[in-house]
Amino acid sequence: MGRVAQLRCRACGTPHPVGPEYVCERCFGPLEVEYEASSLREATRERIASGPRSIWRYRSLLPAEPQDDDLQPGFTPLVPAPRLGERLGLRRLYLKNDTTNPTWSFKDRVVAVAVAAARAFGFRVLACASTGNLANAVAAHAARAGLRAVVFVPQGLEAGKVLTTSVYEPTVVEVEGTYDDVNRLCTEIAGEHPWAFANINLRPFYSEGCKTLAFEVAEQLGWRLPDHVVIPVASGNLFVKTEKAFAELLGLGLVEGKTPRLHGAQPAGCAPIAAAHRRGDGQVTPVRPQTVAKSLAIGNPADGYYALQTVRRTGGVFEVATDEEIVEGMKLLAQTEGIFGETAAGVTVAVLRKLAEAGVFGADEVVVALITGAGLKTLEAVARGGRPAIRIRPTLKDFEGQVLAAV
Ligand SMILES: *Cc1c(COP(=O)(O)O)cnc(C)c1O
Ligand SMILES: [Zn+2]
């Protein structure tokens, strides 16, 4: 692992040798990768621009060797959103469209890095505890890499998530319980069996893949930072690593200015970090999830404590969306900008709207909303609108009588 000098505890700073480890032996804090200075120095705008159109263009800021035979996730479109912006009173709104990834969510980014690390450590089995999208990505990337995949999911997942995962033929294990039960079980398994759990024993590597979203946003804005980013939050991993990514770009002199204000979006039925931020006591109290946004249904978020620090440090806010608002958010996004996002996108757009109404954004500030997953996997949420509005016989008369009148 040439690029990674060592692992270091985020809480107490104790260094650890590079390996498939994720907790500090001294204080049980989470481990982070620490890069060789020579690798970081390689990160110039020119080198990045000449790299592949995937996450691997940021190779010197990632903790694994680039894989040129993988599914090449990342480098997804950053599109201006003038019609949604007009509705919300924002002149410079952009959407980062991660629905175009190989398995239609941002999880392809983290899994690609996890697979590269799993290969380097010599693992044969790639596993995960998932709320759906991670299982989907693990199954696909493992198939591509010739690894065996075993994915653990909570009961009651959307049919679309199970189907789009099963097609790659991993072993899909439905666990009776919530995601938090699944995660606890997988943590026990990872301690006993030599499997690579993408988001458990490979978490220090996996989580770094999140940074590529922020890297792309800055590069696609012409190496400028936005003023605000609205981010859907489950475990808090993407949220925390977005701050780290912008800090790295600033530290390396690849961009100027200051870290954007990072705003967290959670479903009202599972908002432990938003609640803790509101209380202001710095403690995340686990909740039992009850929300249509199953991809964000983590009641005991691994990075919750650090997410609270990120939101405070960057001057962001946390806001929540009810199930009804989530569905409205999905429809608003589709109807104004032609992007069919999943329930997590509905959370993001609903929160974006609330923050705009609350006056959090200046009219000329650059606002980026992260659209992290595709709507075809969560059809249940919008199923009631799924019927043709008009049915006619194949005649011009019916067309003129019934269709023209309705357009
Ligand atoms: C996993 C996921 C997130 C955020 O996950 P974190 O655990 O907070 O990093 C956001 N959106 C979608 C669609 C996801 O699948
Ligand atoms: Zn420690």
Side-chain angles (χ1 to χ4, degrees), residues 9-14 16 24-29 31:
C9 175
R10 212 193 280 171
C12 77
T14 302
H16 289 66
C24 175
E25 282 174 0
R26 270 185 52 194
C27 77
F28 301 107
L31 299 182

Side-chain angles (χ1 to χ4, degrees), residues 134 152 176:
L134 178 57
F152 296 82
E176 294 169 12

Side-chain angles (χ1 to χ4, degrees), residues 9-285:
C9 175
R10 212 193 280 171
C12 77
T14 302
H16 289 66
V18 178
E21 306 288 337
Y22 67 106
V23 276
C24 175
E25 282 174 0
R26 270 185 52 194
C27 77
F28 301 107
L31 299 182
E32 283 275 322
V33 296
E34 202 168 274
Y35 293 92
E36 293 285 1
S38 57
S39 185
L40 296 180
R41 275 196 301 273
E42 279 174 22
T44 64
R45 289 184 187 181
E46 294 69 31
R47 281 238 181 80
I48 290 168
S50 66
R53 296 176 67 78
S54 73
I55 63 164
W56 299 116
R57 63 202 283 105
Y58 308 104
R59 60 182 65 196
S60 33
L61 304 173
L62 292 174
E65 289 308 308
Q67 310 287 299
D68 48 26
D69 62 345
D70 75 0
L71 290 168
Q72 302 287 298
F75 216 61
T76 58
L78 178 76
V79 294
R83 270 164 291 279
L84 179 57
E86 198 185 324
R87 290 277 194 98
L88 305 181
L90 302 173
R91 269 195 282 274
R92 298 165 78 197
L93 172 65
Y94 293 83
L95 303 172
K96 181 64 171 159
N97 185 3
D98 250 24
T99 70
T100 67
N101 270 313
T103 67
W104 317 284
S105 89
F106 104 95
K107 292 298 195 301
D108 287 309
R109 299 171 179 275
V110 279
V111 169
V113 178
V115 166
R119 282 173 147 177
F121 292 132
F123 284 106
R124 299 271 181 71
V125 178
L126 185 67
C128 67
S130 173
T131 57
N133 285 319
L134 178 57
N136 198 171
V138 159
H141 288 254
R144 179 82 180 177
L147 296 168
R148 196 67 220 127
V150 186
V151 301
F152 296 82
V153 297
Q155 64 195 31
L157 221 52
E158 299 96 339
K161 291 227 170 106
V162 177
L163 181 61
T164 53
T165 297
S166 301
V167 74
Y168 305 102
E169 242 189 359
T171 303
V172 181
V173 184
E174 185 179 67
V175 178
E176 294 169 12
T178 64
Y179 170 82
D180 300 287
D181 298 316
V182 177
N183 193 46
R184 206 172 320 116
L185 170 65
C186 288
T187 304
E188 282 180 47
I189 298 171
E192 301 286 328
H193 300 275
W195 288 2
F197 277 85
N199 55 335
I200 300 176
N201 50 356
L202 296 186
R203 194 169 180 89
F205 303 87
Y206 160 95
S207 71
E208 287 285 289
C210 289
K211 296 188 307 187
T212 59
L213 251 169
F215 292 159
E216 290 173 18
V217 166
E219 186 182 357
Q220 290 167 324
L221 288 173
W223 292 110
R224 275 194 293 268
L225 296 179
D227 298 297
H228 303 266
V229 186
V230 182
I231 304 169
V233 174
S235 73
N237 186 23
L238 174 61
F239 192 71
V240 167
K241 291 291 171 145
T242 300
E243 184 190 13
K244 185 177 185 213
F246 288 132
E248 285 180 356
L249 295 182
L250 284 162
L252 291 166
L254 291 168
V255 293
E256 285 171 8
K258 65 178 180 61
T259 304
R261 291 172 66 186
L262 304 184
H263 307 292
Q266 293 208 292
C270 183
I273 305 177
H277 182 59
R278 196 147 297 169
R279 284 196 311 271
D281 60 6
Q283 296 295 322
V284 177
T285 308

